[in-house]
Amino acid sequence: MASSIIRRHYPIPNLNFRDFWDICSRFQTNHPEFRHAYFTVDGFDSFLVLDEPDVSKVLKRLEGRENKVRKYSARFYTSRTQHTEGYGISELQYRPVTYDRYLQGLSFYSDSVNKANYYQFEEEIYSTYPFIENTEPDVEFGKPCEILALVIDIRGFSLFCEEPNIESPYICGLMSAFYNMANHSLQRFPPEMTKFLGDGMLAIWETSPADREIAVNVALTAALSLRHKWKIVQDSPHFTHGAPEMIGAGICFGLASHLETGHDYIGRPINIASRLCSACPGNRVYVDRAVPNIPLHLKKEKFVAHIKPYGRHNIWSFVNEDED
């Protein structure tokens, strides 16, 4: 099984260096390939120990100074030569107290361990050490911000996938072409966030008076170019079984909130952009009339769309650029 990045934090109180050393030994027992460990101890004023492989020396330097410790660290290597070369990282840290933005407790990071093996090590942590109980919910209310939301998706994609000759590798090829096409269209002024939604994509720009016009121009120009670019994908020799023909798009502007947890955005403009995209025919782009700074050279029509749960909604309807 391939390795992947693992990050963990365990709110364990009152560990001294011998306890930390015991946890490191447990990790090496479960991961015998990491037979070399280098220990560092940060004090509040300076390093007390730096990259020391000999535990007895660490213990000697810490005698009478444990109350000055800010952090214990151990980095693990498969050979001594890795200590000076750019190999993968596996590291345990323990902070006796909370400071700055760092929480008290044990932390683990690795980009080079097997998840199944790590699970066994983590089971020992949970069963051996007491955790600080926190009954308060971890709440983030989000940062208010102004956004422009663009939602695009492929029409008839679900029915297309059900055809008996369409298999998952073929679908992956289509979706990768769609995602790359959409991303490339937005690179003149990249959004703060792009999120893939199955057969669609959400793009969000955090805007201000200084850059609203740029964001709107890039989003609308990209949306209007999608039909032509998707036709190139459809005609590619990679896709001999065909592809769904149409792509819809909806754009909305307004106030939302940025949720740092997961780097996400939540708000009415996103919901409306999604509803407009769902209601939009494949040869059109629907834009909420609240969207400012729409380029004057683009031909638009007044239109009323019926979208749930908002009912009648006044919008601008734009024709895709390759329409006659």
Side-chain angles (χ1 to χ4, degrees), residues 186-206:
L186 304 175
Q187 289 313 299
R188 284 293 307 277
F189 192 66
E192 270 63 45
M193 185 194 80
T194 55
K195 181 190 290 186
F196 299 127
L197 310 169
D199 60 348
M201 189 179 84
L202 165 67
I204 291 180
W205 291 261
E206 272 197 52

Side-chain angles (χ1 to χ4, degrees), residues 111-183:
D111 58 11
S112 51
V113 301
N114 180 290
K115 287 197 298 183
N117 290 346
Y118 185 78
Y119 178 83
Q120 300 301 320
F121 165 67
E122 190 172 57
E123 280 289 284
E124 293 190 28
I125 297 295
Y126 276 105
S127 62
T128 306
Y129 299 94
F131 283 27
I132 301 170
E133 294 294 333
N134 183 10
T135 57
E136 289 294 322
D138 191 3
V139 178
E140 177 192 349
F141 289 101
K143 181 192 75 174
C145 56
E146 172 189 292
I147 67 165
L148 180 74
L150 164 66
V151 177
I152 55 179
D153 74 0
I154 304 172
R155 292 288 179 266
F157 187 79
S158 297
L159 288 176
F160 179 82
C161 292
E162 294 300 320
E163 294 181 12
N165 60 330
I166 304 300
E167 298 181 350
S168 57
Y170 189 87
I171 295 300
C172 288
L174 271 178
M175 292 313 305
S176 65
F178 169 74
Y179 294 152
N180 290 331
M181 173 196 77
N183 265 329

Side-chain angles (χ1 to χ4, degrees), residues 150-163 171 174-175 178 181 197-201 223 226-227 230 234 242-251 272-286 305 307 315 320:
L150 164 66
V151 177
I152 55 179
D153 74 0
I154 304 172
R155 292 288 179 266
F157 187 79
S158 297
L159 288 176
F160 179 82
C161 292
E162 294 300 320
E163 294 181 12
I171 295 300
L174 271 178
M175 292 313 305
F178 169 74
M181 173 196 77
L197 310 169
D199 60 348
M201 189 179 84
L226 289 177
R227 189 180 183 201
W230 185 242
Q234 289 174 303
E245 292 187 3
M246 297 293 185
I247 292 180
I251 300 175
I272 292 178
S274 178
R275 302 294 186 183
L276 290 178
C277 178
S278 297
C280 180
N283 63 341
R284 298 272 170 162
V285 175
Y286 280 178
I307 58 175
I315 63 169
N320 272 298

Side-chain angles (χ1 to χ4, degrees), residues 2-116:
S3 62
S4 59
I5 292 177
I6 298 175
R7 292 183 177 90
R8 296 286 193 275
H9 179 77
Y10 311 98
I12 303 172
N14 305 324
L15 296 185
N16 57 32
F17 181 76
R18 290 182 183 274
D19 299 321
F20 179 69
W21 175 28
D22 179 65
I23 292 173
C24 294
S25 299
R26 291 172 185 266
F27 174 76
Q28 289 178 298
T29 299
N30 283 275
H31 299 81
E33 69 274 20
F34 292 104
R35 56 189 177 275
H36 301 284
Y38 288 78
F39 296 94
T40 294
V41 181
D42 291 12
F44 285 96
D45 299 320
S46 62
F47 286 109
L48 305 179
V49 179
L50 183 61
D51 285 342
E52 177 55 64
D54 190 335
V55 172
S56 64
K57 292 182 180 179
V58 177
L59 290 169
K60 186 174 181 179
R61 293 177 194 173
L62 284 176
E63 285 182 7
R65 305 172 74 185
E66 293 244 4
N67 62 339
K68 298 181 178 179
V69 171
R70 184 170 68 169
K71 181 178 68 175
Y72 301 116
S73 302
R75 281 202 172 191
F76 303 92
Y77 302 92
T78 57
S79 70
R80 293 193 183 278
T81 57
Q82 283 192 18
H83 182 231
T84 56
E85 298 180 16
Y87 287 80
I89 295 172
S90 293
E91 183 172 21
L92 275 162
Q93 298 181 349
Y94 180 74
R95 294 178 173 85
V97 295
T98 296
Y99 64 90
D100 297 334
R101 298 180 64 184
Y102 298 105
L103 297 176
Q104 176 191 20
L106 182 72
S107 299
F108 178 82
Y109 172 87
S110 179
D111 58 11
S112 51
V113 301
N114 180 290
K115 287 197 298 183

Side-chain angles (χ1 to χ4, degrees), residues 257-269:
S257 292
H258 179 214
L259 194 63
E260 287 190 7
T261 303
H263 181 48
D264 205 352
Y265 291 84
I266 296 172
R268 189 170 183 266

